[in-house]
Amino acid sequence: MDEDAGSILLLLTISGTSASANKVSDLRDFVGNRNDILEKYSLKHSLTAIKDIGHLTVKVFKAENLAAADLGGKSDPFCVLELVNARLQTHTEYKTLNPEWNKLFTFAVKDIHEALEITVFDEDPNKKVEFLGKVVIPLLKIRNCEKRWYNLKDQTLKNRVKGKILLELDFLWNPIKAAVRTFNPREKKFISQEPKFKTSMLMNSVNRLKTFGAYIVSYKAFIDDCLSWRSYPKSIFAFLTFVTFAYFIQIHHFPMLLLLLFVRFHIYHKVSENIEIRFRGCSIGGGGSGSKDEEDNRISVESDDDEMVNDQKRPEFRRAMTAPPSMNPPKNEKSVSIMDRFQAIQDILQMINLQLDFIASLLERFRNTFNFTVPYLSYLAIVILCIVATILYLIPIRWIIMVWGINKFSKRLRNPHYVDNNELLDFLSRVPSDNELRMYREFRANCEDPSPPSHSNSSSTSATTAMATMATTKNATHESSVKKKK
């Protein structure tokens, strides 16, 4: 190989070191030192070890009622825990659907806005694995030292599968270090699947953008209505508001206007929570709770099924697209060129889909920042806006621009390995989009596993009703016959 002819990317994994913060141990050998960890991440240690943000402890006790992956109706389950690029796993429990692992895992947390992924696999004799279920838990939604059941989901994280897992989590972190880390780039996950193009995903991105487009159209119609003087009171009020705003506005007022948006959404959030708590009992009793979520699940299942049906309808074409050239020799150059063009079209559509998904997710993240989807991020944005408004009020704008420019120009000189970033985009990347909120949604652990008992219940009820009706009819016929004899 010639010099400088190419490059290779290596991913090295080191495990089992005693100095590593990510460890696996038995619950029997666990010695609690929670007070020491609390002291380590207290506010008085905010300026020491700025990258050491938090500590996560996960106790994996057992799982119940898992899906049977083997022919004998059993499975060989083991559990894998992932926090970005940190990956640990339990041992394998053989020939059981109710494994007991009783393991304790510890993770060093570098970003509090990540999510813990817990996946249950079945181990095959040939050392291959089969997916049984998965749980994704955002770190900020962890309820410390609470032992509870989590229902397993499928690989799309939108539907339930058979089985549940018993966990206890404890997450301790420093809020000042976490705030600083929020405005830095997120850690990239190296072990991940590349997204494949699907028509349903493209249509989903288009529909998400249509929702925001409808808001823009409605605001434009309101402005046109004010400018056309169709309603004189409305146009006069809009004109006086514009003149007052243009005359009194100062640059430090813009962050304060954004703070008013936070106040509006905060009030709306509190009112909606009270209404939801008040009517939760009625909605659960009437079977109406989660109808929107069920509809989203049904839509996602239908779209995934459509993709699977389409893939099954053209197996020969898929084999032709995925087989290596040695196994699938082209008949002529024309067929190769057609396949290359089709692959190029798929790549272009995938790129368009990724761009549309990025824009739709960015708009959803911006909206979810104001509606307190993640309270910590919303309150952090409020604090930053108050600081910005104070700085703009006290310091002339020319000095602020000069300091900002000097900082940008000198970053590379101060740190040659500096990676340029956009603090606003880094902050918004921590706010979950609507798709991520659906994946993070929890299913109730006290409900039964997916099975068809409802049909049996309904059939038994209908059978009982039919028997009662037949009995009533028989009694009525008997009474009428007796009357006729008399």
Side-chain angles (χ1 to χ4, degrees), residues 140-261:
L140 288 178
K141 287 190 175 182
I142 290 176
R143 288 178 275 188
N144 288 343
C145 302
E146 180 179 350
K147 189 176 180 180
R148 54 177 297 200
W149 289 96
Y150 291 87
N151 283 322
L152 299 178
K153 300 181 182 180
D154 60 2
Q155 292 180 338
T156 63
L157 298 175
K158 296 179 181 179
N159 308 297
R160 273 203 61 189
V161 296
K162 193 175 181 181
K164 56 185 179 180
I165 187 170
L166 182 62
L167 305 171
E168 182 181 332
L169 300 96
D170 189 17
F171 179 41
L172 304 175
W173 50 286
N174 184 286
I176 304 300
K177 296 180 183 179
V180 175
R181 184 69 180 87
T182 302
F183 294 94
N184 287 276
R186 299 187 73 167
E187 183 180 358
K188 182 180 179 181
K189 188 173 183 179
F190 296 109
I191 305 177
S192 60
Q193 295 180 352
E194 294 184 0
K196 298 180 180 179
F197 173 74
K198 289 185 178 180
T199 308
S200 58
M201 296 176 61
L202 179 61
M203 295 304 299
N204 183 28
S205 300
V206 172
N207 291 332
R208 290 159 64 192
L209 289 175
K210 281 184 179 179
T211 304
F212 291 96
Y215 286 113
I216 296 174
V217 170
S218 62
Y219 289 136
K220 183 178 182 301
F222 174 78
I223 295 174
D224 292 340
D225 192 29
C226 293
L227 297 178
S228 61
W229 291 86
R230 296 172 185 170
S231 174
Y232 279 92
K234 183 191 295 185
S235 298
I236 292 173
F237 178 77
F239 174 73
L240 294 177
T241 302
F242 169 75
V243 172
T244 305
F245 178 82
Y247 183 79
F248 290 101
I249 191 65
Q250 299 290 334
I251 192 170
H252 60 271
H253 291 161
F254 288 101
M256 299 173 66
L257 293 176
L258 294 177
L259 290 174
L260 291 178
L261 287 178

Side-chain angles (χ1 to χ4, degrees), residues 15-26 55-58 81 86-89 103-108:
S15 60
T17 58
S18 59
S20 175
N22 306 324
K23 297 180 182 179
V24 186
S25 59
D26 290 325
H55 183 272
L56 174 63
T57 304
V58 183
L81 288 79
R87 183 183 177 95
L88 301 172
Q89 75 176 55
K103 293 292 183 180
L104 182 136
F105 301 84
T106 58
F107 293 91

